[in-house]
Amino acid sequence: MSCSVEIYEIWRKSAMKQDEVIQMLQLPLSVRKQAVLLTFAKGDYLCKTGKQMEYLMFLLSGEVKVSTTMANGKVLMRCFTYAGGVIGDIELMTNGSVGNNVVAVKETVCFAIPFSVCKKELLGNIVFMNFIARQLGKKFETSSKLSAMNQLYTLENRLCAYIANSEENGIFSENLTELAELLGISYRHLLRTLYELCEKKVLEKKSRTQYAIHDSGRLEELAKDCFME
């Protein structure tokens, strides 16, 4: 994983959103001095299932996709998370290993506080703990919705949501074998659904793994709110 780490003297002078995180959590100077910026390129892992988490991360910009590795080794898509999302709150409170894979969909910048600092200086901070409690509540609600999504939405809905969240400049390009696994379907079923979307003029096939978005309005309509955290 390639990520650049910039210390407090850099991030404190940059984007206002970082100051908003600091103010929202009322972080003391001792914590702010140990916080860092982590920059992830597209395809980088922010964390992997089973590994130990090092940072509590606040997404300042970019987008990540969250998936779970099952006991049989298969990987199942869960949701997309955007700026304002938090990674590592569950692991911080449970002292457990990482439960999900989190991968950058595009360049993503995170304001990150080392777990050691959180445990030493923030677990007794009522403002911080109230924030974490709200985040965990939101994630529980999202998890409940996601568990029912496969029954409530068709593959076409879920695929369109994935495409809408992953496209770049109107082009969707993905390893289709891996995508079929993420969506919990067969490769043949995925190809058939992509073909149907092309027939409906929602997509236009450019190559075996690349599709242009022909009707973005229809794509968004079909995507509904699938995979939204």
Side-chain angles (χ1 to χ4, degrees):
M1 175 181 71
S2 64
C3 71
S4 64
V5 180
E6 303 173 73
I7 61 174
Y8 170 69
E9 290 302 321
I10 296 177
W11 65 251
R12 70 180 184 139
K13 299 175 182 177
S14 54
M16 190 64 187
K17 287 183 180 179
Q18 298 165 39
D19 292 336
E20 291 171 358
V21 173
I22 293 168
Q23 293 169 9
M24 175 181 64
L25 299 177
Q26 298 181 19
L27 298 178
L29 181 61
S30 58
V31 172
R32 302 200 308 262
K33 285 184 175 180
Q34 298 178 80
V36 297
L37 275 188
L38 301 179
T39 302
F40 300 87
K42 178 181 179 180
D44 283 349
Y45 279 83
L46 281 69
C47 56
K48 282 187 176 183
T49 301
K51 302 294 184 181
Q52 290 300 310
M53 202 81 185
E54 296 182 29
Y55 295 97
L56 177 66
M57 293 183 278
F58 301 83
L59 274 66
L60 298 180
S61 63
E63 178 186 345
V64 299
K65 62 181 178 182
V66 183
S67 61
T68 300
T69 301
M70 312 304 288
N72 60 5
K74 292 186 178 296
V75 180
L76 189 64
M77 181 68 192
R78 290 191 59 78
C79 64
F80 288 91
T81 300
Y82 308 88
V86 180
I87 306 296
D89 45 356
I90 295 175
E91 290 80 5
L92 176 64
M93 299 312 299
T94 61
N95 288 314
S97 56
V98 175
N100 294 310
N101 306 302
V102 181
V103 181
V105 175
K106 57 186 69 173
E107 184 176 282
T108 297
V109 179
C110 297
F111 172 77
I113 305 173
F115 263 22
S116 57
V117 176
C118 291
K119 292 176 180 179
K120 180 180 179 181
E121 302 200 39
L122 293 177
L123 293 188
N125 183 312
I126 188 65
V127 174
F128 177 80
M129 292 305 295
N130 280 342
F131 173 82
I132 293 296
R134 288 194 299 272
Q135 288 297 312
L136 294 178
K138 289 178 182 177
K139 289 189 174 180
F140 177 78
E141 182 181 20
T142 298
S143 180
S144 297
K145 291 178 180 178
L146 291 172
S147 65
M149 188 176 64
N150 286 342
Q151 298 177 18
L152 298 175
Y153 295 121
T154 66
L155 171 59
E156 183 179 67
N157 295 143
R158 292 183 287 127
L159 177 57
C160 285
Y162 190 95
I163 293 172
N165 283 281
S166 303
E167 60 88 12
E168 285 189 283
N169 301 316
I171 298 295
F172 172 71
S173 181
E174 192 91 5
N175 182 313
L176 298 184
T177 301
E178 293 179 1
L179 177 56
E181 182 178 357
L182 274 176
L183 296 176
I185 58 170
S186 69
Y187 180 73
R188 180 175 295 181
H189 193 181
L190 174 61
L191 291 183
R192 184 166 59 248
T193 306
L194 285 168
Y195 174 80
E196 290 170 354
L197 288 170
C198 290
E199 286 289 294
K200 294 176 180 179
K201 306 298 183 183
V202 176
L203 302 177
E204 180 182 349
K205 186 174 182 178
K206 294 296 185 180
S207 69
R208 189 175 63 85
T209 60
Q210 190 176 81
Y211 292 80
I213 297 173
H214 188 268
D215 187 340
S216 58
R218 180 61 175 152
L219 181 72
E220 292 290 345
E221 181 182 340
L222 288 168
K224 299 184 183 294
D225 58 353
C226 295
F227 298 130
M228 297 294 289
E229 184 175 58

